[in-house]
Each structure stands twice: as C-alpha cells, then as structure tokens.
Amino acid sequence: MVWHAFMLNPRFMRSLCHKEILYRLPMPWEKIHEAIRNRDWTFTLKDADARCFRDETGLHADLLDEFSTWADTVGTPLTPFVGFSVPRKPIVGHEKALVQKYRDHFAWADKDLAAKLKDAVVRQSEFVDKMNNHLWIRSPALGGTLSRAIHRYGDFLHLLRLCPGRTIVPTLDIDLVWHTHQCSSPKQYAEAMEDMVGRFVNHDDTIAKDSLREGFDFSQSLWHVHLGTEYRVCGCWDCEALLSAVDDLQAKEEAGVATNMEDVTNLSLEVQKVVTYYRAVEVSVRAQRRLPVMRDEASVARF
Ligand SMILES: [Zn+2]
C-alpha cells in the first residue's frame, strides 16, 4: 500500500527515486492477485515469499500484524493502531532485541519521507473505499466498465493536452485507469505522458476540496464541449450493465447483424435479471451461504 501510494504521487516519486531501481519497477499485479483471496479480500503472502522478505530485510513480513500487538511494549500506544482489538502482549526475552531493532530502523529512516508516505496512504485509502462501495470487481458488467473507462481516459488525456495551465479533475472511473497507468512503472508513466500529453503530468491528490469542486466543474464543461457526452457516470451495476448491453447491441448492428425491436425491448429485462442474480451471489458470499444458481445461463454468459 505504501509503494502503491508512493507511485500515485508521480512528481514526488520522480524527485526522490528517478535514479533508483524503484523508478523502473511496475506494480507486480499478478503476484498481488495471487495473494488476495477474492471471497473476503484478505491479503496473505505465500510462506516462501514471507520467508524471503524476512531473510532479505530481517523484518516481519506483516508489519501491521506485528506492530498492532506492541502498544504496551513501547510505552505509549502507536497512534495509527489505537482502536485495534488485538490482544497486546507484554514484552518478553528475545522480543526486547526485536523492538530495539525496529527502533533502530525508525531512527535511521527519513522521517519527513515517512510522514509524507503515511499521508499518501491515508489519501489512497479514501479512494479504495470509494472503489469498494462501487464493487465493480464483482459487477456483471466489469469488462464493459473497464473498456469504457480506458476509452474515457484517452479522452481525458486529450483534455489535459488542450489545457496545460488548468486543473482537470477526473471522474472515479477515469481516475481508476489513471491510477493503474501510474502503476505501470514511474518511468513508463512519465514517458507515456510525454508522448500522449506532451509533458510530465503529476497526479496531485492533495488539492483542497473547494478547488477540486471548481476543477471538476471546469472539467465537466470542457468535456461537454469537446466530447458531447456525459462526464460523470453513475457507476452502479444497473447502469453499467445496461450500458454494456447497449454497447453489445451497437457492435452487432455495426457488424451487420440484424436487430429488431424485440431485442431492444428484451434488453432491460435481461439486464435486470442478470444484475439481480449477481446481487444475490454477493449477498450469499457475504453471508457465507451456498451460491444461488441462475436458471437461464445464456443471460449470464452475455455479460
Ligand atoms: Zn446507476
């Protein structure tokens, strides 16, 4: 999460790391995907990976887990962990050496950088919450949502190129693609922006709320004038599934496949059925119940 939040502040990352290997490293998405259990989103490193981290650094692979039990060992509770309901163990024997080792690490660390990265993580966690609220990752229209977002990101970059002196504020779907692009690797991102926008583009998530609102209104007007479509998207499963179904129908027509009024009429009913099924699946997953079965599998396969 710290690395991820660091990448999402590309100017900051470039100023500190442009000569470091970190500047050329992409986020290892496949490895991260493998470590996440998609039923409950828990993150667990493989034993071999955790061991490798411990051997290389001498640190515990899950520092959050390690530190959250330490409040009593360092005198005062560590602020970020106040409220954690984990049992706090008293410090004993060999652990004293461990605590000292972490203290040495903290003494050696760049505290200004650490504070900035902590703030960046807090800001990113707000974005993660918004993503989690939309739950696109479990939506029946995930593929369509991402395709449309990537397409809209291209248009967003066009607006950035047009208005170098202005703050262009992305919508949530565009921001998701922008974030992902920044995680390709800071070097690749910087080069791609030079190509596509004609300059380095920072992703500044420290802008005050008022300026952000003003920037969003300007971006929305600019989008309307240049693209002639809606800038803000609802993003709910129903709207996204309907948009995907309409996209599919349009693609069929463009490919010369005849469609009729019946296809259009059936569209919204079919979308409703599929979204209802996906909701039932999500409810069952959360309640740890058996997953429901959809009788008309042809409908599900369409999305
Ligand atoms: Zn909606």
Side-chain angles (χ1 to χ4, degrees):
M1 186 63 184
V2 176
W3 180 18
H4 173 236
F6 199 5
M7 281 177 136
L8 297 181
N9 287 267
R11 179 168 290 145
F12 183 43
M13 167 67 99
R14 188 178 61 162
S15 68
L16 286 176
C17 298
H18 71 282
K19 288 184 181 159
E20 310 288 338
I21 191 156
L22 196 60
Y23 195 64
R24 296 190 299 277
L25 280 185
M27 184 61 65
W29 291 120
E30 275 182 32
K31 290 273 180 198
I32 292 171
H33 180 74
E34 284 168 13
I36 294 175
R37 189 171 176 266
N38 73 355
R39 277 288 171 102
D40 55 12
W41 314 124
T42 47
F43 181 88
T44 313
L45 278 182
K46 282 182 187 162
D47 286 346
D49 293 337
R51 213 178 308 120
C52 176
F53 183 84
R54 271 198 309 271
D55 292 348
E56 289 290 325
T57 65
L59 305 173
H60 196 286
D62 189 341
L63 288 178
L64 190 65
D65 180 44
E66 174 86 347
F67 292 165
S68 58
T69 63
W70 274 21
D72 295 340
T73 70
V74 292
T76 50
L78 296 168
T79 319
F81 306 117
V82 169
F84 271 47
S85 58
V86 291
R88 291 182 172 142
K89 59 190 180 190
I91 183 164
V92 287
H94 69 282
E95 287 178 334
K96 283 184 182 164
L98 195 62
V99 170
Q100 189 55 48
K101 190 168 74 178
Y102 281 110
R103 278 187 165 157
D104 292 345
H105 271 285
F106 288 133
W108 172 83
D110 178 339
K111 291 183 185 57
D112 185 46
L113 172 63
K116 284 181 178 155
L117 289 177
K118 186 207 78 177
D119 290 345
V121 168
V122 171
R123 292 195 299 272
Q124 275 322 302
S125 56
E126 284 177 27
F127 180 82
V128 171
D129 286 344
K130 284 183 197 166
M131 276 292 117
N132 193 37
N133 289 341
H134 276 80
L135 209 63
W136 285 334
I137 200 163
R138 295 254 177 84
S139 146
L142 175 63
T145 299
L146 293 182
S147 303
R148 285 186 292 278
I150 291 168
H151 187 81
R152 279 159 53 82
Y153 177 62
D155 291 333
F156 172 78
L157 295 184
H158 176 64
L159 298 187
L160 283 174
R161 181 182 266 278
L162 285 179
C163 301
R166 297 296 301 253
T167 303
I168 311 292
V169 179
T171 56
L172 199 60
D173 61 319
I174 292 172
D175 210 16
L176 176 66
V177 182
W178 195 6
H179 284 201
T180 311
H181 192 190
Q182 286 163 73
C183 291
S184 51
S185 93
K187 186 172 184 287
Q188 273 183 354
Y189 169 75
E191 288 169 357
M193 283 296 166
E194 287 290 347
D195 279 353
M196 293 189 284
V197 183
R199 64 179 191 279
F200 180 79
V201 178
N202 192 31
H203 172 260
D204 186 359
D205 57 1
T206 62
I207 301 173
K209 285 227 159 57
D210 281 352
S211 310
L212 212 55
R213 206 168 302 122
E214 211 175 282
F216 188 87
D217 291 345
F218 172 76
S219 312
Q220 184 161 256
S221 306
L222 198 67
W223 184 280
H224 287 163
V225 170
H226 285 274
L227 280 311
T229 55
E230 271 310 314
Y231 188 43
R232 196 193 286 271
V233 294
C234 167
C236 77
W237 286 11
D238 302 78
C239 289
E240 288 299 317
L242 201 55
L243 282 171
S244 288
V246 171
D247 285 348
D248 285 352
L249 204 64
Q250 269 174 355
K252 263 191 191 173
E253 281 175 0
E254 279 163 21
V257 180
T259 54
N260 53 40
M261 268 317 286
E262 206 185 338
D263 291 331
V264 179
T265 316
N266 288 339
L267 205 71
S268 68
L269 283 175
E270 215 172 286
V271 164
Q272 204 178 15
K273 202 158 64 178
V274 172
V275 172
T276 304
Y277 169 69
Y278 270 68
R279 284 215 174 91
V281 169
E282 183 58 25
V283 168
S284 300
V285 166
R286 291 184 189 200
Q288 299 184 336
R289 288 200 304 254
R290 260 180 68 181
L291 300 187
V293 176
M294 186 156 186
R295 288 204 192 107
D296 181 6
E297 287 187 6
S299 297
V300 179
R302 275 198 52 182
F303 286 84

